[in-house]
Amino acid sequence: MPDDRSFVAETTHLVRAVGRAMGVTFRNLLRRPVTVRYPTVKRVYPDRFRGILALTYDGETGEENCIGCRLCEYICPPQVIKVEMLKAEKRNFAKTFTLELYACEFCELCVQVCPTDAIIMMKSFDLATGDRRELLLDKDRLHALGLAFDPSWATGNRLRDAQAPPKPAKAEAKTAAPPRTDATEPAG
Ligand code: SF4
Ligand code: SF4
């Protein structure tokens, strides 16, 4: 035979729990939602947001910024970057540049070492796909991404400047040389 007291206690406990849960629900019904209807509505990302990787052009000359130095290839922990250098008279270029974004760790090391801010991160992660082959990015695709999205503030040169040790304070103005105090009097 069931214990009446335990039945009442359990029912009371249940009713209170449901009441607390409904209280949370009703409170949140009146709040402004924190979610957005992505992709129709997109959030504005902060300037330092680091998303997908891309290659850049020089804003003045229109030339590719990549000089094919392969530093990004050497630093990349999962080795997802492959670069072939094309030597030219005035400067070098990347003959080929591929990045397997599906295996990228987004560690940003490639960005940090790039001497010309050629590889950067964008203020977007909007590259979802069901076909991983679409995330094998060649040079053209990487440049197209660089034009399609806003760049992050965090370029290699800015990051290196931010991480550099502080410059020593300028030396105080040289103190004037003390006046000569030659006490030796000529012998009279
Ligand atoms: S992206 Fe930067 S680090 Fe990589 S090869 Fe080009 S210039 Fe060198
Ligand atoms: S972010 Fe890191 S893992 Fe991704 S390509 Fe750059 S170095 Fe490689």
Side-chain angles (χ1 to χ4, degrees):
M1 186 174 166
D3 184 342
D4 283 351
R5 280 179 303 179
S6 73
F7 174 75
V8 171
E10 277 185 28
T11 306
T12 308
H13 181 72
L14 185 66
V15 169
R16 278 190 186 149
V18 170
R20 276 199 301 273
M22 292 310 289
V24 171
T25 302
F26 285 126
R27 273 201 304 279
N28 282 290
L29 267 180
L30 304 174
R31 284 188 182 156
R32 282 186 63 193
V34 293
T35 50
V36 295
R37 291 182 179 273
Y38 181 85
T40 319
V41 180
K42 290 187 180 169
R43 289 188 191 284
V44 177
Y45 297 112
D47 280 348
R48 295 183 186 225
F49 183 93
R50 274 93 139 168
I52 53 180
L53 289 151
L55 288 174
T56 61
Y57 293 105
D58 186 310
E60 290 177 8
T61 64
E63 283 189 347
E64 297 169 6
N65 279 329
C66 181
I67 54 174
C69 67
R70 299 181 69 198
L71 281 178
C72 53
E73 179 180 328
Y74 294 131
I75 198 86
C76 177
Q79 301 181 348
V80 298
I81 298 179
K82 294 281 175 290
V83 186
E84 274 183 285
M85 182 193 273
L86 175 67
K87 289 187 182 275
E89 203 173 307
K90 289 187 181 164
R91 50 158 289 189
N92 300 329
F93 294 88
K95 184 176 171 192
T96 61
F97 193 115
T98 56
L99 196 157
E100 298 164 83
L101 197 67
Y102 48 78
C104 170
E105 297 171 355
F106 293 92
C107 66
E108 200 194 43
L109 287 175
C110 53
V111 174
Q112 291 182 20
V113 298
C114 181
T116 57
D117 291 344
I119 187 163
I120 59 169
M121 286 176 145
M122 313 305 290
K123 288 199 290 184
S124 176
F125 59 87
D126 196 355
L127 209 60
T129 173
D131 185 349
R132 56 189 279 147
R133 285 172 298 185
E134 289 180 20
L135 298 180
L136 173 56
L137 307 176
D138 62 10
K139 201 173 86 165
D140 291 343
R141 186 91 193 281
L142 284 161
H143 276 123
L145 291 173
L147 297 174
F149 297 107
D150 291 332
S152 168
W153 170 91
T155 63
N157 276 305
R158 286 196 182 124
L159 290 167
R160 285 190 295 276
D161 285 349
Q163 291 163 9
K167 292 185 178 128
K170 280 187 179 171
E172 296 289 327
K174 285 184 182 172
T175 51
R180 286 194 62 173
T181 54
D182 195 347
T184 54
E185 293 286 336

